[in-house]
Structures are given as structure tokens and as C-alpha cells.
Amino acid sequence: MPTTTLSALTAPLRAYGAVLFEGYEEPHAEVMALVWGPRFDREHAHTLLERRPGYVPQVLHTVQSAADQFDQLAAEEQRRVRQLILRHRSRWDNAQATQ
């Protein structure tokens, strides 16, 4: 997967993830739910955004763009995105355990 594609997909998470997933016990599970199937789960993304109404106008276009890009990835590339989320979760869990 080209780095530019991965960067475009992760941009919304890097920019807004901390705010959007604040209060979720398993934020990685929420992200994984978005990309679990062969198409980005836009309905779930909308539900997440509705929890933070002040951010919807700022994030909506960015999330839509990332969703479109995810949908255009080949199945193997989508699987790679999921693996990267799981790897990040593992690192996150390890970092939390040492604090």
C-alpha cells in the first residue's frame, strides 16, 4: 500500500481521534468496526461523529474522503489496514501497562 494512501486514511484519526474516541473503553475496537468489512462503515462513523457535534463540520469531509479511499483499496490492502490497527492497539496496550 502506498504511504500516501495510508497517510490519507489515518489523517482523520491523527487529527481528531483523541477527541472523537474520548470516553470509549476500546477506541481501537471502534476504529476496527469502521473498516471491518469490505466497505467503510459510514453509518458507524456518523454515529461516532454525532457524539461530538461540534466536530462534525470539521471532520465530516475528511472522514468521507478516507472512507472513499478505503473502499477503493484491494482486499489485501484493506487487510493490511486492519493489521496496522491491531499492531497499534498492541503497542498502545503495552504503553498503558507500563504507566
Side-chain angles (χ1 to χ4, degrees):
M1 170 181 347
T3 303
T4 55
T5 302
L6 183 58
S7 295
L9 285 171
T10 59
L13 289 174
R14 290 182 182 183
Y16 305 107
V19 173
L20 292 175
F21 296 110
E22 181 182 5
Y24 281 98
E25 193 167 316
E26 293 286 338
H28 291 91
E30 296 298 331
V31 175
M32 190 64 92
L34 296 171
V35 297
W36 188 251
R39 293 190 43 83
F40 189 95
D41 189 341
R42 288 161 175 79
E43 185 175 327
H44 186 65
H46 196 274
T47 300
L48 292 172
L49 291 172
E50 285 178 339
R51 285 190 67 229
R52 304 285 192 231
Y55 283 87
V56 172
Q58 298 170 7
V59 182
L60 196 54
H61 177 72
T62 306
V63 170
Q64 182 64 44
S65 177
D68 292 343
Q69 290 177 355
F70 179 81
D71 289 352
Q72 293 173 7
L73 294 175
E76 184 57 38
E77 292 173 320
Q78 289 180 349
R79 194 173 4 263
R80 174 91 170 113
V81 168
R82 293 182 199 104
Q83 289 171 340
L84 290 171
I85 294 167
L86 292 174
R87 183 184 309 160
H88 187 272
R89 178 183 182 182
S90 176
R91 290 179 180 170
W92 175 265
D93 289 346
N94 289 336
Q96 297 297 344
T98 61
Q99 292 181 357

